[in-house]
Amino acid sequence: MAVVTFNKKQVEREIGKLDENMQNKVAMFGTPIEEINEGKISIEIFPNRPDLLSYQGFKNSFLSFLGKKVGLRQYKLNKPEKDYDVYIDSSVKEIRPYTACAIVKNLKLDDDKIKEIIDFQEKLHLTVGRKRKKAAIGIYPLEKIKLPITFKALEPDKIKFTPLETNKELSGLDILQRHPTGKEYAHLLAGKAKFPVFLDANKEILSMPPIINSQLTGKVTKLTKDVFIECSGSDFEILKKCLNIVVSCLAEMGGKIYQMNLFYKKKEITPNLIPEKMDISLENTNKILGLDLKEKDLKKLTEKMGYNYKNRYVEIPPWRVDILHEIDIIEDIAIAYGYDNFEPETLKTHSLGSSNPEETISKKISDILSGLGMIEVSNYHLTNKKDQTEKIGISEKNRDFIEVKESKTDYTVLRENLFPLLLKNMSDNVDCEYPQEIFEIGKVFMKEKNSGKIIEKRRLSCATSPGNYTRIRQMIDYLFRMMNLNDRIKIKEPQNLDSVPPHFIEGRTAEVLFNEGKFDEESQDKRIGFIGEIHPKILKNWKVRMPISLFEIELEEIIRNIIKDVK
Amino acid sequence: MEENIERILDSLSPNERKIIPYLEEKDLIEICKRSNLEKVSVIRSLEYLDNKGIIKISIEKRKLIDLGINGILYKKKGLPERRLLNLLNEKRILNFSNVSKESGLSSEELKASIGVLKKRNLIDLKKGKIIFNANREEITKKTPEEHFLEILPINPDSLNQEQGVILESLKKRKEIIQITEEKKIGIEITDLGKKIIEEEVKGRDLIEQITPELLKKESFWKGKKFRRYNVSGPFPKIEGGKRHIVNQAIDYARRIWTEMGFKEMTGPMVLSSFWNFDVLFTAQDHPVREMQDTFFIEKKGEIPQKEIIQKIKESHEKGVGGSKGWGNKWSEEEAKKLVLRTHTTCLSAKTLSELDLESLPQKFFAIGKCFRNETIDWSHGFEFNQTEGIVIDKNANFRHLLGYLKEFFKKMGFEKVRFRPGYFPYTEPSLEIDVWHNEKKVWFELGGAGILRPEVVIPLLGKNIPVLAWGPGLDRMIMDYYEIKDFREIYKNNLSQLRKTKFWVRELK
C-alpha cells in the first residue's frame, strides 16, 4: 500500500480548503485519506495509479476531477539535440534489457523539491517498479556528465566508482556486500556474471542500476538545472510510462522536456507523449453502469478524468499505466459521475437460495451438542509442530508436516488433528469454572499417503473435563441417536495395540467405526476416529490437573449418509 | 400486628430464623457456635437481615499479627537461634563447614541465627569456627523474640516500643510472622428488629421448598403459609452451551444470502496460485504473490486441463476481449505454487469455470476463512473471515452491485453505506465499502467489490457476461457486534468469556 504525504497548506492554497466536503471528494476520487493533521495530509494511492504518487500528478488529476483544467494535459516536447543519444549495448540483454531516457532542462530546485523528487522516485520503485525489479529510475546532474551515454554490462570487478553516501571507490561486488542500499537490493543482481552500468562519454560510471548512482556524477543538488533521466528494467512499455510520469512531474515544476535517441537494434525516441487512442462505446458504458448517459456526458466525464474525448474514442494520458481495456475507462467515467450519485437497485430476477449441506449438518451437530450445554470453540487452522506431536505423546521427528513458508508468527503448520487444540484450550482455561465441555467442528489437513496430495477433512472433536470414559461415550451416543445414526456406529476396542493413539489410556480407548450401510458385513466398517480418556502423562504436558476424556471423528461419511437419507 | 412485620416474618429463611435467637450475642463466632451454622452462612444471613432492616451491621477492619508458616513450626521446635545455642551449649565449638549438617538448619536460618547470637554476644566467630561464649543463666533466659511469639495473635496498636522493634526484625525473616487484616462485624439490633425477635421467638410454621414429600398429602400444606422469598434479590447465575461467536455470525450471514436467493459455494483452503491468483488476472509479478504477503506451501499443486491454462496464459500475456493484457510472460510453474487461499474469490472463480451458461442467471455466495502472512495484533491476524458473493446475469450492472451490498449490510445492521472507488486486479469498476458506525460516528472500511474484468470472465465463461462480485470481511462486524476491542479475543477461546457472551440476536429486516 502506497501512502503519500503532502503539505496541507500547499494543498489548500493550490486545490481548495480541506473541509468535510473536500475530504469526501478526495475519497470519491479513489484516493482515501489516511490521516490529516495540522500540517500534512496523507492519502492512499492504489497500485493502478502510480501517476498520482507525485504531488504534481495528484494535483492536476484531482483539479481536473473537480472540473477545473479538464482534458488531457499537454507538455511541449523538444527534439533531441546533438549527442542526446543513449547506446544500448547487447551485453545488458540478459540482465536488464531496457532503458527509457530523457533530458529535462531549466529546473529551479531547492531542498524541498529535491526531497519531493526523491520520495516520489522511491514510491515509484516500490509500486510500479516492483521494488526496482521491473523498473528503477535514475536522475543525474547534466552539468557533471558528458553525453552521449552508454548502457552496458560489465564484469563486477571491472566496475569501480564511488556510490552515493560514501566517499570511497568500491567495486561492483563490494557495493552489493557492503553498501546499505547494495545489500538491500543485492538479490536483484546476485548470480549474474555481469552488472549493468550507465557510462558517459568520458567512460565515467554514472550508476549501477537498479542499485545506486555515483556520488560524483549521479547526485542532484540545488545547483543542478538540467538533468538526465533514465528508467531501466525488464518491461519497455512500463519504462516508457514511468519516464512519462517523471518528466510530466518535472515539467510541472517548470522544466523543459527534451527527447533522446535510444540506439537499440532499432532506434527509439523517448519520451513520447503522444496519447494512445481507445474506443469507448456509449452503449457499453450505459449497460455496465446502469445509467442513461448521452454522448455529451461521456465527453464531459472522460475529460474530468484527464482524457481527451474525440468521436467515440478517447485519448489516454501517456502516463496512465492502468488502461488495458475499455472497462478501465468506464470505471473512470463512474468515478467522474461520482460513486455517491449512483442509485442502488436490486435485480428482480428470481432464484432459489440454498446453503451447502455440509455446513447445514455441521450446524445441526453444533445445535445438538450445545443442547447438552457444551461450548463450541474455534481455533486457528495454523498451529505449531510441538502442540501437534510432542505434547500429545508422538515424536516430532520424521513427520511430514504441511508447513507454510516464512510465517511471521509461531503458527507454522496446518493442523492435522483438532483435539490437541481442545487440550490447549483446556490448558489455557484451568482457572475457569469446571465442568468444561467443549467441541470444535473444522477442517484438518493431511497428505495423501501415495500421491502426497494435500487433502482437507472436516472433523468433530469433543472434550469434557472432569470427564471419564462413560461421560464422553454418553455424548457420542447422544449425538448419533439424535442424528438417527445410532445403528451405524460401533464403539470397538482396538484390535491392534499399535493403533491406540498414545494420548489415550490403553483399555480406556476405543475406535469409532461407521458403517454407511447396515451392519451385516464386518468389512463395511470404516474407522472414523477414536474415543477415550486422556493419559495423565499427556495431561501433565498441558499442565492440566483435571481428568479429560474426548473423541475426534471424521464427518465426511456421516454427512454423506445424512444427505443420502434425505434424498 | 403491623402488616410490615408480618411480611418480614413470613420472609425469613430457615437460616435467618436459626440465628435470630442469638443476635443478642452480637458476636459472629458466638452466633456460629450457638446456631450450629458455617461462618459463610451466618454472614450471608446477617446481610439479608440487614437488608430487611432487622439489624444494622457495621464492618470494622483491624490488623492482626499472627504466626506465619515458619513461626508455627518454630514455636513448636524452637527458633533457629535457640536450637543453635542449645547445640553449642553441648559442643562448645562448631566448625562452619559442618554446622549446617549438625544443627539441621538451612543456610538462611543459620545466617539469621548467627547474626542474632553474635549481636547478643553469646557467641564468637574465629577462624571458621563458632565458639560458645555464654553462661548458663543467659542460656535459660527466654529471648525477646521468643517472648514476642508467645503473645501472638495481637493487635499491632497494642505493641510497646520494644515489641515494635522486635516485630520489625522478625518481619525481615522468612514467614515467621504474618500480618492479616481481620474484619470484625458489629451487630446492632434495630427497633424493628426487637419486635421481630419478640414475635419470632413464638415460632412460625412456614413452608420452605416444595418437595414431593410435602405434596404427598393435602394436609401437609393446606392452610399453611409459604415463606416469602426476596423475589428480586441476588441469586447464583447459570450459563448454557452455545455456538462459537464467529459461527453464530456466519450462520446469520448465510441466512441473509440464502434468503436473497444465493447458493452456497465451498471449497478447499489449500489450492494452487492458478485458482487463487492467475484466473483472477493477478499478474505473476504482483506483490501479493510474494512470501511476505501470502502463505506458500512447499509442494506444487495441480492445475487443470490444458485448455483453460492456454486461455489464462493468453489473457495475461496478450489480453482477451479487446484487452492489452499484462504483457508479461506467463509461467505455468508460478501458477502451480500452492497457497493458503488469500480470499474466497477463488471459490467464485472455480464456480464460474464449472458454470453451465444455460442455467443463467445465477447467484452464489461463500463464507470462509482466508489467510495472509501477517503478525497478529489488536486489529487483525493471519486468518480472517470473508463473505463472497457473485451474480452472473446479462442484465446486471454497477447499480445492482451497489443494491445487493446495501441490502446485505442493512441486514447486518448497518443502515448507512458508502461506496467509493477502489482497486483490485480482477474487478473493474472496483469499489470499497464503508459503513457508518452510529455510536462511534466514523466510517468503517469493510472490504471490496466490483464487476469482474473481461480478462477474468472470458477465459472462464467463454464470453463476456457481467459478473458482480464482492468479498467484504466479516471480522470487524463480528467484533463490533460483540463489542470485542482486540482481534485476538475472537480466537482466544476463553471459556468464562464465551459463557458470558451474548448470542447473535440481530434479526433480518
Side-chain angles (χ1 to χ4, degrees), chain A residues 8 17 63 72 130 143 162 169 177 186 211 217 242 271 336 391 442 509 554:
Chain A
K8 190 179 161 195
K17 195 165 165 39
L63 279 176
L72 184 62
R130 302 286 196 250
E143 76 269 13
T162 310
E169 200 175 78
Q177 283 163 359
I211 314 288
T217 51
C242 267
K391 290 186 92 169
T509 177
E554 247 151 53

Side-chain angles (χ1 to χ4, degrees), chain A residues 275-281 307-308 311-316 323-329, chain B residues 322-324:
Chain A
E276 252 182 276
K277 298 180 174 71
M278 193 179 271
D279 289 342
I280 175 81
S281 138
Y307 301 84
N308 269 352
N311 188 23
R312 302 280 161 125
Y313 72 86
V314 291
E315 290 177 346
I316 302 167
I323 310 299
L324 304 179
H325 187 276
E326 182 189 40
I327 195 75
D328 296 301
I329 303 168
Chain B
S323 166
K324 294 196 275 182

